[in-house]
Each structure stands twice: as C-alpha cells, then as structure tokens.
Amino acid sequence: TPDAHYPESQDAVDQQILLCSIFGNTIAEAAKKIETGEEFGLSGFFRSRKYFIISQEEMSALHTEEELANTVKVADLCEAYEITGPPRLPSFPTPNGESEISYLRSLCEAQFGKKVPSGKEQEYRERLEHELQVLEESGLGVYFLVVWDICRYAHQVLKCKPSYGRGSAAGCLVSYLIGITAADPIKYKLLFSRFYSADRKGSLPDIDMDFPTSQREQIIQYVANKYGLEKVAQMSTYGRMQGRSAITAVLRAHSWGSHEERKEITKHIPDEAAISDELQEMREETGEASIIRWALENNAEKLREWAYLDDDGRVRGPIGMYFEQAIRLEGTKQSRGKHAAGVVIFPEPLAEHFPMLYEKLTLKPITAYDMTAVEASGGIKLDILGLTGLDKPQLATHIARTGSAASSTSSRVPQLFAEEN
C-alpha cells in the first residue's frame, strides 16, 4: 500500500498548512530550512507532495507483479467485519437472577406509593406502564439500572447532594421513581417522548449526571471496579478547525498580512454557534456546511476587498485562493483532549474493540475515539460531569454533620472552598 496522508496530490498544500499550524511556522520558513538542508519536524511532507493515494498504474510502476499479487493475497485473507453496530450494554447483576426489566419495575413499585400523589394513582400507573413497555421493547432495562446504581452509590455511599440527572431525562417517570431525577414529570407536564420514544429503538437516551468535582473520580472508579477496569474508560474529544481559526491558519502560513489585518477579516466571520441553524439548512441543501462560505454570502460587502463569490459560486478576489483553502480545511480535527463528562462502558475489554491511548497526566488509558465514534461502535457513553458549584453545598453538609471542613468522603476538597469557610 502507498504511504498516503491525503487523497490527491493537490491536497499536499492543505496538509502543509495544518503542519504549519501545529509547529508555529510558515511555508516560507519551511522552504528556507529545506533549502539550507536543515531538518525539522515532519519535514518530509514539505520536501515531497507524493504522499497521496496513487493509482494502480502508478503502483505497477513502483512494484513487481509478484509484490502486487501478494498484496491481493493478504487482502483476501482478511475476514470482513463491521466496526459500527448497535449499543452493547454490560450485564447488570440483579437479585435472584431476575430479568433487568423486572428488577427495574420492582424499583419503581417500591417508590410508587411514596412519590405518587394520593388520588392520581391511575394517571401515574398508565404513564409508568407505557414507559416500562417502551423501555422493555427497546432493551433499555440494563441502561437504567446502570445509571440508577451510579446515582444510588453517589447518594447513599458518598452522600452527594444534590446530584440528579438532568435534561430531557426529567420527562421520564421511571427516572423520577428510582431517584435518577428529582422532578415529578406529570406534575410539571414534562413529556416522556421528549426523552425517548419507540421509534428511537436501537439508540440510547441521554441522561446527564452531575456530581461535585471533588467526588467525580471516585464515582468513575466505582463504575470501573464494578464492570471491569479494562471495560471502562474516559474518552477523547477533538477540537475542530472552524471558520475563524481556518482562515487565520491559512493566512499566517502563507505569511499574508499583519495580525491586525487578519483580525479585521475574522471579525466578519461568525462563531459556529451563532449561525448553527443556518449551517444546518446549508448542510441539508448542499450536503456540507461552511462558516466561511456563509460569511461570504451574508457579509459580502464587508469581505469584498479580500474575497467574494461570483455568479457561479466560486471564490474570487485578491486572496480568494486562501479563502478557498480555508473552506477546505474547515472541520479538520486540530487538537485532542479528554472529554469533560464522557465515560464509555463496554461488555468486553475496550482495547479489543476501540483504539486506545494513554492520557499524559494520569497515564490512564482513554479511548482515542470521540463520543460520536464510541457510540457508533456500540460503546455506552455515560455523562458523569463534575460541577464545581456542587462542591459548596457538599462541603456545607459535611461541616454541619461533622463540625470539620476536612472531607471524609472525597479525596480532596477544593482549596478555595476551605479558605472561604
């Protein structure tokens, strides 16, 4: 196989822009180093533009017929497999080996008489039966038990308060009865269909769980201990090159303009969140969405001295070619970090199904996949978020109970809170 890093030869300059962005240099500086024979990081990609996917004819010119035939033999030995699939839930230990949905029902029944207002039993009963039927048909009994168990551990063992699931999960009566959420969905007219419906079968609902930052790691460790250290991990998140960062990277790499001139251009390019609806419409109409192209269409007069769209939709102007290149680079993954909340759980060792890497600070393994790829590959994403705002009431509760600011349930209390008290 060829050593390919981009599809076609003309894409080489786009990769060079990305490398310049990473190493903080310009294409001119890279060319000067090459001219003087100086080596620098990944300099081979500046010395050659041949790291593209070459044709079969070009491969034939580089290799013998036997080598090419051996490549086909290796390919034929590979078994077909899918890397995507439906959610794969872990098993959950239930008392007496009863089914997960049966155990979930018993948990709901145990709280039904305590949480349901007198005289409204029939209304709540009908809602509960409907929800349990949908959850059973969708195979979500295990998912709810996993989330319930995490909340139970946080409430009963770590004494976390308040720490409930939020978001659309508040529209689920099952969540309310078993203590995942704290709001009565019928009292507040919250819809279960907003949270989950039968036509979403094959996908998972989304329950965000908030805990004090000082106890988040303990909760994640509890999940890992319960389901297997090799089956639970946090996941990566990737920063994408968006409109402003894309055009800035291109202009800087080509040594165009001063910082003030580049800033003058980018102030006419909006943030993605500000035009998210418009970008979605663009994506539905054309199959792709570009913040820069949107700006060229909607802020045309303000950007005309640098670039504009002609009648055929092509980018023209003094630096139109740089705008075109920036449009091509939009959406490129630029940086990697650890997801603030996401934890993946899987019924088998993660390393057998997901690419893994070690986090720099803790050296703990995390998935190289982001949350979208994790879920597409069958992983179960749990949103276990640490909120600093929850540390204060947690600390206040502990002081009221023990008379001391030293926490017995967390590995640490943020120093800020200790100083304030």
Side-chain angles (χ1 to χ4, degrees):
T1 58
D3 185 10
H5 292 255
Y6 36 85
E8 301 177 354
S9 59
Q10 60 264 34
D11 298 321
V13 66
D14 291 344
Q15 193 208 27
Q16 291 174 0
I17 296 296
L18 295 175
L19 294 175
C20 286
S21 178
I22 292 171
F23 292 111
N25 57 9
T26 67
I27 291 178
E29 290 170 344
K32 185 175 181 180
K33 290 180 179 180
I34 290 173
E35 184 179 344
T36 59
E38 181 181 347
E39 289 295 329
F40 57 96
L42 301 180
S43 61
F45 294 115
F46 291 89
R47 299 178 187 277
S48 172
R49 297 190 174 188
K50 294 183 178 180
Y51 292 95
F52 59 94
I53 303 173
I54 63 178
S55 66
Q56 184 174 346
E57 290 74 20
E58 291 170 307
M59 286 291 285
S60 298
L62 296 172
H63 300 280
T64 67
E65 289 299 319
E66 182 181 9
E67 288 171 337
L68 295 177
N70 285 338
T71 300
V72 176
K73 287 181 180 179
V74 172
D76 289 340
L77 291 172
C78 296
E79 297 180 2
Y81 63 95
E82 290 290 337
I83 62 173
T84 60
R88 295 187 58 189
L89 291 152
S91 59
F92 186 89
T94 59
N96 305 318
E98 63 181 305
S99 68
E100 288 88 358
I101 197 68
S102 174
Y103 185 50
L104 180 61
R105 173 183 287 277
S106 68
L107 293 175
C108 293
E109 295 292 350
Q111 297 297 319
F112 192 87
K114 300 176 183 178
K115 293 189 174 183
V116 172
S118 178
K120 294 190 176 183
E121 289 84 0
Q122 183 62 29
E123 180 184 4
Y124 279 74
R125 174 62 61 187
E126 292 176 359
R127 172 74 168 260
L128 177 60
E129 292 302 325
H130 168 68
E131 290 188 10
L132 287 174
Q133 181 181 352
V134 171
L135 298 182
E136 181 176 12
E137 292 174 351
S138 303
L140 293 176
V142 173
Y143 177 78
F144 269 79
L145 291 177
V146 169
V147 176
W148 161 78
D149 183 59
I150 294 172
C151 293
R152 179 200 59 79
Y153 175 78
H155 295 160
Q156 296 182 10
V157 179
L158 299 184
K159 307 299 181 184
C160 292
K161 284 187 177 182
S163 53
Y164 292 100
R166 58 178 166 85
S168 61
C172 177
L173 180 60
V174 170
S175 297
Y176 170 62
L177 290 176
I178 65 177
I180 293 175
T181 56
D184 182 338
I186 295 181
K187 177 181 178 180
Y188 295 105
K189 297 180 174 58
L190 303 177
L191 301 177
F192 176 66
S193 58
R194 174 70 177 82
F195 170 64
Y196 199 80
S197 58
D199 58 7
R200 287 182 57 190
K201 184 177 180 180
S203 65
L204 291 177
D206 192 18
I207 301 178
D208 296 324
M209 294 173 280
D210 298 332
F211 303 103
T213 56
S214 56
Q215 294 175 306
R216 179 174 180 264
E217 289 299 324
Q218 287 177 278
I219 293 169
I220 294 175
Q221 190 62 48
Y222 169 75
V223 176
N225 291 340
K226 179 154 190 167
Y227 299 99
L229 296 176
E230 74 282 5
K231 301 176 183 178
V232 175
Q234 296 184 67
M235 61 185 70
S236 294
T237 184
Y238 291 91
R240 295 180 294 111
M241 185 175 282
Q242 298 184 14
R244 289 177 179 175
S245 57
I247 190 66
T248 299
V250 170
L251 295 179
R252 185 186 293 123
H254 286 294
S255 305
W256 184 91
S258 64
H259 172 74
E260 288 71 22
E261 289 175 303
R262 295 194 291 266
K263 192 173 181 179
E264 182 66 24
I265 291 175
T266 57
K267 78 177 185 180
H268 302 304
I269 300 175
D271 290 328
E272 182 178 30
I275 57 169
S276 58
D277 292 341
E278 292 90 336
L279 291 175
Q280 182 59 32
E281 292 177 5
M282 185 185 294
R283 188 176 291 107
E284 292 172 355
E285 291 177 5
T286 66
E288 57 184 27
S290 165
I291 300 172
I292 297 175
R293 181 169 285 276
W294 184 94
L296 289 171
E297 292 176 353
N298 294 274
N299 295 335
E301 291 305 315
K302 296 176 180 178
L303 291 170
R304 181 168 292 277
E305 66 174 287
W306 300 291
Y308 62 89
L309 298 175
D310 64 15
D311 294 338
D312 296 325
R314 292 173 296 187
V315 184
R316 303 295 190 186
I319 56 172
M321 65 183 74
Y322 295 157
F323 272 73
E324 280 188 327
Q325 188 171 27
I327 290 172
R328 293 198 301 270
L329 291 176
E330 280 186 273
T332 304
K333 290 182 173 65
Q334 190 177 25
S335 61
R336 188 199 63 78
K338 186 173 69 174
H339 196 283
V343 175
V344 59
I345 181 172
F346 203 66
E348 299 171 9
L350 290 168
E352 296 178 8
H353 298 269
F354 301 87
M356 305 294 289
L357 51 84
Y358 287 103
E359 187 190 7
K360 288 183 179 179
L361 295 178
T362 65
L363 295 182
K364 290 183 178 180
I366 65 174
T367 66
Y369 278 169
D370 64 10
M371 66 177 187
T372 302
V374 162
E375 291 183 311
S377 302
I380 308 304
K381 178 177 74 72
L382 301 173
D383 288 308
I384 302 176
L385 189 63
L387 297 185
T388 304
L390 293 180
D391 283 284
K392 286 190 175 182
Q394 181 73 11
L395 181 60
T397 300
H398 179 73
I399 292 174
R401 187 173 65 248
T402 66
S404 170
S407 174
S408 61
T409 59
S410 64
S411 57
R412 63 177 178 84
V413 175
Q415 188 62 33
L416 171 63
F417 302 147
E419 291 171 355
E420 288 179 351
N421 285 274

